[in-house]
Amino acid sequence: LDEEDLDRLMASIRALVDMNKQIWERCELQKQVSCTLAGAADDCLLFYRVGYESVDVATEAKTLKFKASTILSSKSFPVFPELPGHFDVSRTVLPDYEQVLLKAVHLRDELLEPFLTIFKDHLKCVQVMLGEVDSWLLEPSHAYA
């Protein structure tokens, strides 16, 4: 792996790290959402969202009044896969991948390329999983006729 290939690999990994972080921040920004590690072995991520079941509209003395009924939905998603290697990162929902990348650059040359390739595949897998969470959070919780 020459210097130019290594730069391209690092750039693609940084782009995946940034994209995953943006998707996760978008998920966290939705105030009606909370996420917990569920199960005895932290085997899934449980997300909650609040949606509107119905909205009633009434008028009283030239005033328009809305009354909304909400519904709480939940969905389990698999926990994101473990990081490759033995990197000491706290087990949060989404680890600090930038720290992992900073630590990885200190690997010996013969270990760096294989690790970065595996790390990139890991980040792609996490991105797919984050996309599924993001899609569920954005879809309407009820279909209205």
Side-chain angles (χ1 to χ4, degrees):
L1 190 69
D2 64 18
E3 192 72 27
E4 191 175 304
D5 290 337
L6 182 61
D7 288 344
R8 275 195 297 271
L9 182 57
M10 292 291 282
S12 66
I13 288 172
R14 282 193 178 97
L16 282 166
V17 167
D18 289 343
M19 180 60 71
N20 288 354
K21 189 175 177 182
Q22 288 174 15
I23 296 170
W24 181 248
E25 287 172 353
R26 189 168 57 237
C27 291
E28 284 186 314
L29 279 177
Q30 296 190 39
K31 302 223 185 306
Q32 74 270 21
V33 174
S34 66
C35 171
T36 58
L37 290 170
D42 294 339
D43 56 355
C44 68
L45 297 171
L46 186 59
F47 283 83
Y48 299 94
R49 69 175 179 200
V50 176
Y52 295 101
E53 186 172 77
S54 64
V55 178
D56 297 320
V57 181
T59 55
E60 283 182 18
K62 296 184 182 181
T63 303
L64 193 58
K65 292 189 178 192
F66 295 91
K67 180 181 176 185
S69 300
T70 58
I71 185 169
L72 179 65
S73 303
S74 65
K75 185 169 181 178
S76 295
F77 293 90
V79 173
F80 302 130
E82 292 285 328
L83 281 168
H86 297 284
F87 284 89
D88 184 25
V89 293
S90 62
R91 184 64 175 140
T92 58
V93 174
L94 196 64
D96 186 351
Y97 289 123
E98 292 161 354
Q99 282 298 106
V100 173
L101 195 54
L102 287 174
K103 290 178 182 181
V105 297
H106 297 291
L107 291 171
R108 294 189 319 251
D109 289 344
E110 65 269 12
L111 297 176
L112 182 59
E113 178 189 357
F115 174 79
L116 291 177
T117 303
I118 292 167
F119 186 46
K120 182 177 177 180
D121 290 341
H122 169 84
L123 291 170
K124 287 178 180 179
C125 179
V126 170
Q127 186 174 46
V128 168
M129 296 172 84
L130 281 170
E132 291 171 6
V133 172
D134 192 37
S135 293
W136 179 75
L137 292 172
L138 292 174
E139 75 184 22
S141 57
H142 245 352
Y144 297 104

